[in-house]
Amino acid sequence: MDTVSLALALRREAATTNERRALVIAGERERGYDLLESVLDALSVGITETTLVGPDDRLRCEQVAQTGADELLGTTRELLVLDAHADLQPNALGMVVGAVDGGGLLILLTPPLEEWPDRRGRFSESMAVPPASLADVTGRFVGRVVETLRAHRGIAIVDANSETIVDDGLVEPAPPQPRASEPATPLERRARAESPMCFPTAAYEACLTDDQADAVAAMESLFEPGRAVVLEANRGRGKSSAAGIAAGCFAFEGSDVLVTAPAARNATELFARTREIIDSLERERPNSEPAVDATRDGLDVRTAAGGRVKFRGPDAAVRTIRRGGECPDRAAAFDPDIVVVDEAAALPVSTLEGFLEADRVAFATTIHGYEGAGRGFSVRFRDRLEEASHEVVDLSMTDPIRYAAGDPLEVWSFRALGLDARPPVAQLVDDATPDRARYRALEPSALLADESLLREAFGLLVQAHYRTEPNDLARLLDAPNLAARALTVEGHVVSVALLASEGGLGRETRTEMYEGGRVRGNLLPDVLASQLRDEDAGEPSGLRVIRIATHHAARSRGLGSALLERIRGEFGGEVDWLGTAFGATPGLLEFWGDNGFGAVHVSTTKNAASGEHSAFMLVPTSERGRELADRHAARFVRRLPAFVSDSLADLDPDVIRAVLRTVDASPSLALSDHEWRIVAGAAYGPGQFDVDPGPFRELVCHGLVGGSTPTDLAAADERLLVARVLQGREWESVAELLEYHSASQCRRALGDALIPLVDAYGTDPALEVRDQFS
């Protein structure tokens, strides 16, 4: 059998089983393309169903770079070619595999497999973090890919240099056995449900699995106001199609549906199902007309009843919701009844929050993180959704539609990319305590040798953090600046931390960073040098905690803190500081503060993925580290009054309170006698904050920074002091935010909140005013 015959056999087998197959053409690049051309000539696959993912436009079909592979989200192809000679981006590999349709073929063009792990491409270069070089980057991840390609069923390997078949990859599945009786259809199963059916029966006749019928039924809840639906699934389960069927049914009844996704092409599948169901329903009406596509790309579908399904990009969609349909261009005005967000996991949390302003909204999201945004939806946005006023309907879809269950490519990609990584089951760690836990290094070689250890450690990082993705698996195995440490109980990972070496940079690199040059992998030194103008910040060496996660069954027992203590004990003599940077929330700030980390900066803008301002924190482990931390804590305190009232004016007061408590510095308090009388007059007498906010801000900063806050200052008072005095919010805004009955009540409450601060820190002039009005 030659390569062309093998490709035809793989395609026939894939079509017969509704599975997918892979063909690896390994060898010299030009010889690989020669073989590929022969294969493509023999396969009866249309140009529009073929995509080349690689650096060059070598074929007569669509071509995208690996860095643009996210364009394939929400789309399918019969044939996908990935050219991995110059580079392999793990996220892109996941996206490419996810876009291959049932019966389709994935072709990988690679260097000779025995040489591939020694090649270095663009992704490897991204891991060459100063002071390390490209020579320090290993090829373990590619070695893992090669090993799994050789081991998994349904994957053929051809040596392009010798044109020999190393493995034909043919599974030769047994023919399906006839069923004794036909199973119930999705429509029949839906008809048996207790809840009445709101959508037409044609909607359920269009469903291919029970899961999909359940998803369409869940979307029926959007007939009621104040509802949110979440459809969650791995790829190929039909969630976009289910959303499209539901959108078509709503439009058929006359409702307007706004659809959004990361890009228009990501919504192709959804709109295809929308048009199909509308056409089917319209045919049942007498004298009806088919659905009308109002745009050339088919992303604005109108129905005879006046309903509409229209696409808008994420930012435009949020603006549409907030404007209530208003638009400067009256012809473009659109006021949707329902909003559908497809590929929600690929959108920033801050954008997702905007969709919660819609009364009725549905989110279709992929569980695993090769969208490129990781698990922002699952880890961070879920909290926002639970806090919103919507009644939430959740549905998880497990039955594959685009390809059969047990599809070889899905099984292979999940293992190779860690997409099926899971923490240990709760019963194995539910009695874990710091005393019982063993501290251990997770060396890459040990992780590769122990698949269970790798799955547990990486699975814990995936489930606990919103940005863990396949690229991170490669970094864990190959990046010279990364290390992992864990606590285990009877061999099972219960807490894990991912660490990055930073700093220790030479003068030339530090100057480059200070002048705005991009120096990879040195986040904390970069912020301190380029933004906060400290040219020497990159000289001390440090260790940044990128991720830390504890198993959900063993939280609140001190395991995370115990892990940090052990890390500090191991590395304290080797580095000058430990640090971290994360999306700031009160709970996380308290955790890090309790473990000795002090805030030195808060980002002026929100992180696109988390939707939160990032907090940057340090704990020194040497005298050089102490000098660095003290220097920046003192500078942070000095700029706090102006900083909080400007860049952080809209930040949650509880976040600011938590930040202030962690700052390891003592702000000055040098009010004049006159200023003390102004402050004390507002606390005890008829004085007013508005006449001179400056001294009030200095006093509040002094009182809330560090651990010196008066014990009789209540949390509600602290919020008020932050919102009005430090952030400078208007009285009416503060009253609404903190639920005071009126602005006048808010003013009176501010005076009461100042009393503990004046009592604790006031000098004689302030105390004289107090005595005067007491």
Side-chain angles (χ1 to χ4, degrees):
M1 182 184 294
D2 59 16
T3 302
V4 171
S5 300
L6 175 59
L8 292 170
L10 288 168
R11 183 75 197 286
R12 283 194 301 270
E13 193 172 273
T16 300
T17 59
N18 192 34
E19 294 178 344
R20 303 170 302 169
R21 296 291 184 266
L23 171 61
V24 180
I25 301 178
E28 192 269 327
R29 188 168 186 252
E30 292 306 315
R31 295 183 70 88
Y33 268 101
D34 289 342
L35 276 179
L36 175 63
E37 292 277 6
S38 300
V39 168
L40 295 182
D41 288 342
L43 293 174
S44 56
V45 180
I47 294 297
T48 59
E49 290 297 321
T50 304
T51 296
L52 168 64
V53 179
D56 306 314
D57 189 4
R58 294 283 299 261
L59 305 176
R60 298 177 300 278
C61 64
E62 174 189 48
Q63 180 263 335
V64 298
Q66 287 193 47
T67 53
D70 56 351
E71 296 179 20
L72 300 172
L73 295 176
T75 69
T76 58
R77 300 288 186 273
E78 290 185 36
L79 179 61
L80 263 158
V81 180
L82 174 60
D83 181 351
H85 276 273
D87 194 26
L88 180 65
Q89 303 270 345
N91 279 1
L93 178 59
M95 295 175 196
V96 167
V97 174
V100 181
D101 205 355
L105 188 63
L106 169 67
I107 300 180
L108 295 176
L109 297 178
T110 76
L113 295 185
E114 63 276 7
E115 300 176 11
W116 193 13
D118 297 325
R119 302 287 181 93
R120 300 293 178 267
R122 180 176 175 181
F123 184 72
S124 296
E125 291 172 359
S126 73
M127 292 186 283
V129 172
S133 67
L134 184 59
D136 299 311
V137 178
T138 69
R140 297 186 185 96
F141 174 76
V142 172
R144 174 181 175 83
V145 171
V146 170
E147 178 187 346
T148 54
L149 285 171
R150 286 172 168 157
H152 278 256
R153 57 194 289 273
I155 300 173
I157 299 174
V158 172
D159 184 330
N161 295 340
S162 63
E163 296 192 23
T164 58
I165 296 172
V166 178
D167 187 336
D168 64 19
L170 296 171
V171 178
E172 299 179 359
Q177 297 297 318
R179 292 192 176 106
S181 61
E182 286 298 317
T185 66
L187 173 60
E188 291 169 337
R189 291 184 182 273
R190 175 67 184 98
R192 297 173 190 167
E194 296 180 3
S195 60
M197 188 160 45
C198 301
F199 286 151
T201 57
Y204 294 97
E205 291 171 342
C207 295
L208 299 179
T209 64
D210 294 341
D211 261 1
Q212 196 170 46
D214 290 341
V216 171
M219 295 287 286
E220 289 185 353
S221 65
L222 296 179
F223 278 110
E224 299 294 328
R227 298 296 180 94
V229 175
V230 176
L231 304 180
E232 190 175 65
N234 290 330
R235 292 219 165 273
R237 269 60 182 173
K239 63 186 182 305
S240 296
S241 294
I245 291 170
C249 290
F250 283 122
F252 177 74
E253 298 294 337
S255 296
D256 289 336
V257 182
L258 173 62
V259 172
T260 190
R265 65 183 294 161
N266 302 141
T268 302
E269 186 73 16
L270 187 152
F271 272 89
R273 302 290 83 75
T274 293
R275 287 191 296 275
E276 287 176 5
I277 192 63
I278 291 175
D279 287 344
S280 173
L281 294 171
E282 296 283 17
R283 282 194 295 269
E284 297 178 4
R285 283 178 168 169
N287 304 318
S288 66
E289 297 292 335
V292 177
D293 287 343
T295 55
R296 182 178 300 177
D297 57 15
L299 299 182
D300 187 354
V301 182
R302 303 173 188 249
T303 68
R308 187 177 181 185
V309 183
K310 179 177 175 60
F311 178 86
R312 278 186 176 160
D315 292 340
V318 171
R319 289 194 298 269
T320 297
I321 295 166
R322 289 174 175 166
R323 285 194 302 249
E326 296 178 8
C327 185
D329 179 4
R330 294 181 62 86
F334 180 56
D335 188 8
D337 302 295
I338 295 165
V339 176
V340 176
V341 185
D342 201 10
E343 301 295 347
L347 295 175
V349 173
S350 56
T351 302
L352 293 170
E353 288 176 337
F355 299 124
L356 293 178
E357 297 184 33
D359 181 58
R360 294 179 282 169
V361 58
F363 300 94
T365 176
T366 304
I367 293 174
H368 293 294
Y370 51 74
E371 295 89 343
R375 292 173 55 83
F377 186 95
S378 300
V379 177
R380 289 296 175 92
F381 178 65
R382 277 292 191 160
D383 292 339
R384 313 290 199 280
L385 184 58
E386 294 301 324
E387 294 168 0
S389 59
H390 298 76
E391 182 178 337
V392 181
V393 177
D394 280 297
L395 187 83
S396 295
M397 304 172 67
T398 58
D399 295 340
I401 288 179
R402 288 198 284 108
Y403 39 80
D407 167 70
L409 280 198
E410 182 172 85
V411 174
W412 165 71
S413 65
F414 275 32
R415 182 186 173 198
L417 300 177
L419 294 175
D420 60 350
R422 294 288 184 272
V425 295
Q427 293 89 331
L428 295 174
V429 297
D430 60 4
D431 60 349
T433 61
D435 291 340
R436 295 189 62 233
R438 173 197 170 202
Y439 178 70
R440 65 168 296 181
L442 300 179
E443 300 293 350
S445 56
L447 292 172
L448 286 174
D450 188 339
E451 185 71 18
S452 176
L453 181 66
L454 175 61
R455 286 171 55 86
E456 288 187 357
F458 192 67
L460 194 53
L461 291 170
V462 168
Q463 289 208 350
H465 202 278
Y466 69 96
R467 297 194 67 179
T468 306
E469 55 194 11
N471 281 357
D472 289 310
L473 177 62
R475 295 187 182 104
L476 175 63
L477 297 175
D478 292 331
N481 68 317
L482 295 188
R485 295 294 184 266
L487 294 179
T488 62
V489 174
E490 295 183 0
H492 297 290
V493 179
V494 68
S495 191
V496 63
L498 186 62
L499 314 169
S501 297
E502 296 192 347
L505 304 175
R507 169 60 64 183
E508 184 177 340
T509 304
R510 299 201 307 272
T511 300
E512 178 187 357
M513 180 182 287
Y514 182 76
E515 293 176 351
R518 183 74 177 94
V519 178
R520 289 188 298 267
N522 280 269
L523 176 63
L524 279 167
D526 190 3
V527 168
L528 300 181
S530 62
Q531 294 186 30
L532 303 181
R533 311 311 299 151
D534 183 354
E535 188 170 3
D536 295 325
E539 184 175 7
S541 62
L543 197 65
R544 177 166 62 92
V545 184
I546 304 177
R547 310 271 193 272
I548 185 166
T550 297
H551 198 291
H552 67 87
R555 288 179 186 160
S556 302
R557 300 180 195 169
L559 286 158
S561 297
L563 179 55
L564 285 176
E565 182 180 357
R566 297 297 296 272
I567 290 169
R568 189 170 178 175
E570 178 185 357
F571 292 98
E574 301 176 17
V575 298
D576 299 305
W577 52 263
L578 298 181
T580 187
F582 54 91
T585 65
L588 287 176
L589 286 160
E590 181 180 5
F591 169 78
W592 289 104
D594 289 346
N595 283 282
F597 288 69
V600 294
H601 183 54
V602 176
S603 64
T604 58
T605 58
K606 291 183 178 181
N607 180 283
S610 71
E612 294 154 350
H613 291 263
S614 295
F616 300 83
M617 305 182 76
L618 293 173
V619 59
T621 57
S622 75
E623 187 57 37
R624 284 207 309 175
R626 169 57 64 187
E627 292 173 0
L628 178 71
D630 287 351
R631 183 164 72 242
H632 282 278
R635 292 173 181 177
F636 189 36
V637 163
R638 283 198 297 272
R639 69 177 187 271
L640 267 172
F643 185 53
V644 172
S645 65
D646 186 4
S647 302
L648 305 183
D650 295 327
L651 186 57
D652 182 350
D654 281 335
V655 174
I656 293 178
R657 290 173 57 223
V659 168
L660 296 179
R661 278 196 294 271
T662 72
V663 180
D664 188 12
S666 298
S668 63
L669 184 61
L671 302 188
S672 67
D673 290 352
H674 177 66
E675 288 172 330
W676 270 119
R677 292 187 183 99
I678 289 176
V679 173
Y684 295 101
Q688 295 183 6
F689 159 79
D690 303 281
V691 300
D692 188 4
F696 291 86
R697 287 176 179 161
E698 190 172 333
L699 173 61
V700 170
C701 270
H702 184 84
L704 298 188
V705 164
S708 60
T709 305
T711 56
D712 53 345
L713 188 63
D717 294 335
E718 290 185 21
R719 294 186 187 97
L720 175 56
L721 293 169
V722 168
R724 181 65 187 117
V725 178
L726 296 186
Q727 293 182 298
R729 302 190 191 208
E730 298 293 335
W731 286 111
E732 291 77 9
S733 173
V734 175
E736 180 180 358
L737 175 69
L738 302 182
E739 299 182 346
Y740 289 99
H741 294 304
S742 65
S744 297
Q745 185 193 29
C746 190
R747 286 188 178 92
R748 292 191 296 272
L750 179 63
D752 294 337
L754 289 166
I755 290 174
L757 297 178
V758 176
D759 286 347
Y761 308 115
T763 59
D764 288 344
L767 301 180
E768 290 171 4
V769 173
R770 179 189 65 183
D771 295 341
Q772 179 183 354
F773 290 98
S774 295

